[in-house]
Amino acid sequence: MRKLTIAIDGPAGSGKSSLARRVAQILGYLYLDSGAMYRALGLKALRAGMTSDNAPPLAELARGTHIELKSPTEEQEAAGFKNRVFLDNVEVTHEIRTEEVAKAASLIATIADVRHVLVAEQQRAGAGGGVVMEGRDIGTVVFPHAELKIFLDASAEVRAERRWKEHQEKGDVLTLPEVLEEVRARDKRDRERKVSPLVRAADAVLVDNTAMDVEETARLVVMLSREREKELAQAASRAG
Ligand code: CDP
Ligand code: CDP
């Protein structure tokens, strides 16, 4: 059976990583977190003191950066890490999961030349098919011909609560209103930026998981994937 390219887009905390990881596990596909690449570059920019949105030096920084995504070890998986992330060959899996880095990522993500560099990397990484890639522009820009597109959403309050719980577990001292404010600010930047804003692709299936857990949502998406696989197989046998 031909393997699909599955694109999952949606706002912060909508459950993209959990869903994409679980669907990839069930189908035996590769899971790729494009947001982790923006976060890794955001971390590098923060460390270099580049906190403005001055495009040329940030684009230069992106061109001179090597980001790699790898599967997690069993311990990392058990601790909730779905991807291992390497920035210029040094692991930054944990360091990129802060609100400060998320904000830096969403700032540099507004720059067209930065996006060109990362989108090209993402297209290379997913070129063979059999991938579940998640982010903001996967179904619209990175893989506009993906065979299955999901736009995942949930209310801002529920999304902030999910993120806040993760911070609590790590011992971060953020309040729920602070996390909600950051989630709303990031939503606004991601949806209103000029280049590749977060929008639902016309052919994406809208899934609202405000009241659904990861497993239920994954079952739904796996069912949709199997249907698409069958349709493609039938189309191929008719053609050949
Ligand atoms: O990748 P994204 O920011 O869209 O979300 P995530 O990292 O997959 O999920 C954020 C948190 O919400 C995680 O701790 C998930 O376990 C949790 N979650 C949930 O409780 N119910 C869902 N349906 C989806 C995610
Ligand atoms: O996990 P969460 O949904 O909170 O964020 P993320 O997926 O790790 O992405 C961090 C930031 O990177 C987002 O707020 C976006 O601004 C940016 N991003 C993007 O612009 N395009 C993508 N394909 C993925 C992330």
Side-chain angles (χ1 to χ4, degrees), residues 36 51 60 80 95 121 127 133 140-141 143 160 166 179 187 193 199:
T51 48
E60 196 51 43
E95 290 87 334
E121 276 303 310
M133 190 178 288
T140 50
V141 175
F143 293 117
E166 286 181 327
V179 177
D187 279 0
R193 69 179 173 223
V199 283

Side-chain angles (χ1 to χ4, degrees), residues 71-141:
S71 297
T73 60
E74 268 179 36
E75 298 88 73
Q76 285 172 322
E77 180 104 61
F81 286 91
K82 302 165 192 90
N83 243 338
R84 294 182 77 184
V85 186
F86 291 79
L87 172 63
D88 297 326
N89 302 314
V90 178
E91 183 157 17
V92 292
T93 305
H94 297 263
E95 290 87 334
I96 60 168
R97 298 293 160 194
T98 67
E99 289 302 316
E100 191 192 13
V101 172
K103 183 177 175 187
S106 89
L107 284 170
I108 59 158
T110 61
I111 299 169
D113 287 342
V114 166
R115 300 197 70 87
H116 284 150
V117 176
L118 295 190
V119 166
E121 276 303 310
Q122 290 151 15
Q123 288 170 333
R124 245 193 306 276
V131 294
V132 188
M133 190 178 288
E134 49 106 349
R136 301 293 187 287
D137 60 340
I138 310 305
T140 50
V141 175

Side-chain angles (χ1 to χ4, degrees), residues 11-19 82 134 162-163 166 209 212-214 217:
S14 57
K16 301 177 300 295
S17 320
S18 315
L19 174 67
K82 302 165 192 90
E134 49 106 349
R162 289 173 180 172
R163 264 291 123 78
E166 286 181 327
N209 70 1
M212 273 160 86
D213 68 15
V214 176
T217 320

